[in-house]
Amino acid sequence: MFERLQNAFEQEDFLLVFQPVVNLKEDGVERYEVRIRLQDNENLIYPPRFLELANQHGLGERIDRWVCSQSLSLLRTRNSEALKLTINLTHNSIVSSEFLPWLLKAMHQENIAADQISLQISELDIASSPTQVQKFCEQMKSFGFILSITHYGCTFSPSNTIPLEMASIVKLDRSLLDKIDTDLEQREKLNATVSSLHARGLLVIAPMIDKIDLLPYLWKANINFVQGNCLQEPSENMDFSFVQDEELTLDSFH
C-alpha cells in the first residue's frame, strides 16, 4: 500500500468526492465536506486503508496539500461566495509548521476568502498531541481560518480541550447519535450536549445519518446541520439541491 501511495501522486490516482452538509434551516449557503479516495483500477480505496499509513510515512501533509489545491481550484472555477468547503486534515499537517503558511499563500494566489473553507481536525488528534494542536489552532486563528472539530465526544472530557475555544463548528461523534429514536436517555444526552455547545457559540453537525426518520429528533435537539447518506452519498459532483420550498419543521414529517 505504501508503494501504491507513492505511485498515486505520479499517476494522479487520487479522487475527490463531496458530501453536502445541510442546514436544517435553509440559509442560501452550499456546504460540502471534501473527501478523498484512491483509485485502484476500477475500485476505490477508502481513507481508513491508506491515511494512517500515509501519516506514519510522512505523506499525510502531501495528501492534504493535494486536496487543498484541488479544492481551491474548484472554488475559483465555481466563483460563488455561497459555496463553502470543509477539508479534513491529517495529523502530519497539524504538527507541520509549514502547512498553514503554504495554504494561506495558495488561497491568496487563487483569490479565495478565508471564510470559504473550514479546516477540520479530529478530537483524536487533539487528545494525542494537545500542545502541538493548540499551537496549530492559534496559528489558524491568526490567519483567519475557520476551525471545525470532528468526532466530538469520543474522548473522556471533550469540553475541556483548548481548541474548542477557537472552533466555530463541531461535528458530533456518531456514538452520540446512536438509538436517539428509541432511547430517551440517549436523546437527553444529545440535547444536553448540543445545548452546551450552543452556549459556547458553536454550530453543531450531526454526521452519518442514514435514516430519514431521525431528522425530527435532530431538529428537536436544535442541531444546526445534518450530513449523511439519507440526504446524499459522497459524489464526484457538487449538485445537491440546497434550496427548499419551505423551512424544515416537525410538521414536515407528519
Side-chain angles (χ1 to χ4, degrees):
M1 181 59 74
F2 176 61
E3 183 178 347
R4 183 72 192 86
L5 273 175
Q6 290 181 308
N7 292 336
F9 290 103
E10 306 302 326
Q11 299 171 6
E12 299 184 354
D13 286 335
F14 290 114
L15 172 73
L16 291 187
V17 293
F18 308 89
Q19 188 170 39
V21 181
V22 180
N23 195 334
L24 290 184
K25 296 182 179 180
E26 199 278 317
D27 60 359
V29 178
E30 300 178 19
R31 298 176 179 86
Y32 290 93
E33 181 174 330
V34 183
R35 307 269 181 83
I36 188 170
R37 306 286 187 258
L38 176 58
Q39 300 177 93
D40 188 38
N41 295 320
E42 296 182 359
N43 300 314
L44 292 179
I45 301 176
Y46 288 77
R49 285 190 57 195
F50 65 85
L51 274 188
E52 184 54 37
L53 181 68
N55 269 312
Q56 292 172 1
H57 291 83
L59 292 176
E61 183 178 354
R62 188 176 178 186
I63 291 176
D64 289 345
R65 291 194 183 205
W66 184 86
V67 172
C68 289
S69 295
Q70 298 296 314
S71 299
L72 295 180
S73 179
L74 286 169
L75 284 170
R76 177 179 51 79
T77 302
R78 288 281 295 267
N79 191 29
S80 170
E81 293 182 359
L83 177 61
K84 299 182 185 296
L85 300 180
T86 297
I87 300 173
N88 292 283
L89 298 183
T90 64
H91 187 76
N92 284 172
S93 294
I94 294 170
V95 300
S96 169
S97 61
E98 299 177 355
F99 176 76
L100 286 178
W102 168 84
L103 179 58
L104 185 65
K105 182 178 179 180
M107 292 182 69
H108 284 163
Q109 290 175 341
E110 296 285 4
N111 196 29
I112 303 299
D115 66 352
Q116 281 199 264
I117 66 167
S118 302
L119 301 180
Q120 189 160 262
I121 66 175
S122 172
E123 189 176 286
L124 295 169
D125 285 319
I126 296 174
S128 65
S129 306
T131 302
Q132 290 169 306
V133 172
Q134 180 178 346
K135 185 182 298 184
F136 178 85
C137 292
E138 289 171 347
Q139 190 179 30
M140 271 192 65
K141 185 176 181 180
S142 69
F143 287 164
F145 292 131
I146 297 173
L147 172 63
S148 175
I149 295 176
T150 187
H151 298 125
Y152 177 85
C154 68
T155 60
F156 181 68
S157 54
S159 60
N160 294 331
T161 60
I162 292 178
L164 194 63
E165 299 173 4
M166 305 179 199
S168 299
I169 306 167
V170 165
K171 182 190 285 191
L172 301 177
D173 189 71
R174 186 63 181 85
S175 62
L176 291 170
L177 302 165
D178 286 341
K179 301 180 180 178
I180 58 171
D181 53 340
T182 59
D183 189 332
L184 178 59
E185 185 176 342
Q186 184 75 342
R187 279 205 301 277
E188 291 176 345
K189 181 180 178 181
L190 173 64
N191 292 343
T193 300
V194 174
S195 295
S196 174
L197 291 170
H198 282 168
R200 303 178 76 151
L202 294 161
L203 300 173
V204 182
I205 301 173
M208 301 175 68
I209 303 301
D210 294 328
K211 298 191 298 182
I212 199 74
D213 54 4
L214 291 181
L215 292 185
Y217 299 101
L218 300 176
W219 186 90
K220 196 170 184 179
N222 291 319
I223 291 287
N224 300 100
F225 306 104
V226 175
Q227 186 178 11
N229 291 346
C230 71
L231 297 172
Q232 188 179 81
E233 295 184 15
S235 165
E236 292 182 52
N237 301 311
M238 291 185 282
D239 56 4
F240 184 78
S241 179
F242 286 90
V243 178
Q244 305 296 327
D245 291 333
E246 58 182 325
E247 183 178 295
L248 180 66
T249 69
L250 286 178
D251 292 336
S252 305
F253 299 90
H254 289 168

